[in-house]
Amino acid sequence: MNNLIINILIVTGTFIGMEGVAWFTHKYIMHGLFWYFHKDHHHKDHDGFLEKNDFFFLIFAIPGILCLAAGSFYGDIISLCIGIGITIYGAAYFFVHDIFIHQRFKIFRNSNHWYFKAIRRAHKMHHKHINKEHGECFGMLWVPFKYFLENNKKPEI
């Protein structure tokens, strides 16, 4: 039972830690050295379903795959748990960023939940900046608190 709790904590900690990795990578790598790949995501200067920005899927997937492989093939439970955490974060990223926010598939369009409204608004503000040097809201699941507060404001009469 103790091992199960530790394994769940490793998966959960990895998932939470991936938000920091995604924030750092988005701010300093995507909006820095690899702007070439991320630029079309902000400018929409691409044809078709895929973007050059989708290249980053591999950057995030490879460590998860390696950890899952090490855990599976060598019985390394810590690597396996880390791989599971990375993979769950990747799935969450796909559903929240690609499906919910950018509507690559036309589902979940009319959510009025305070959390989803806040992350959608923050991401919209991020895309308002089309140059690599500027921007805000580089996270995906956790955004500045002001976006959560905006949803609780009462309309003025």
Side-chain angles (χ1 to χ4, degrees):
M1 184 63 168
N2 285 341
N3 286 345
L4 176 63
I5 293 170
I6 291 169
N7 295 343
I8 290 170
L9 288 173
I10 293 170
V11 170
T12 304
T14 301
F15 179 90
I16 292 167
M18 283 302 297
E19 179 69 3
V21 170
W23 179 90
F24 180 87
T25 304
H26 189 185
K27 183 168 182 153
Y28 296 108
I29 305 297
M30 293 176 174
H31 281 257
L33 183 63
F34 287 150
W35 175 247
Y36 169 80
F37 293 104
H38 188 60
K39 180 180 176 184
D40 71 339
H41 183 66
H42 282 266
H43 291 274
K44 298 297 179 209
D45 58 356
H46 59 87
D47 295 322
F49 186 74
L50 296 176
E51 306 171 350
K52 285 185 224 120
N53 184 67
D54 294 328
F55 162 78
F56 290 105
F57 165 78
L58 294 174
I59 290 175
F60 286 106
I62 289 171
I65 292 167
L66 292 174
C67 286
L68 290 171
S72 298
F73 297 135
Y74 301 112
D76 182 356
I77 193 69
I78 293 173
S79 293
L80 181 64
C81 291
I82 291 170
I84 290 170
I86 292 170
T87 303
I88 292 171
Y89 185 85
Y93 186 93
F94 175 75
F95 283 108
V96 171
H97 182 264
D98 291 337
I99 293 178
F100 176 70
I101 293 173
H102 286 290
Q103 290 291 304
R104 282 194 174 189
F105 304 101
K106 306 298 183 203
I107 56 176
F108 306 121
R109 298 182 95 160
N110 300 318
S111 174
N112 284 324
H113 189 272
W114 61 271
Y115 174 77
F116 292 115
K117 285 170 64 175
I119 61 171
R120 182 178 269 159
R121 176 78 174 133
H123 200 82
K124 183 177 181 175
M125 295 308 295
H126 173 75
H127 277 267
K128 179 176 86 172
H129 304 281
I130 59 171
N131 297 319
K132 76 176 190 172
E133 294 83 12
H134 303 290
E136 59 180 290
C137 304
F138 292 95
M140 194 266 301
L141 295 175
W142 183 252
V143 297
F145 198 60
K146 69 181 181 178
Y147 295 104
F148 295 105
L149 292 176
E150 284 179 2
N151 291 321
N152 292 327
K153 290 182 181 176
K154 303 274 190 240
E156 293 183 21
I157 298 177

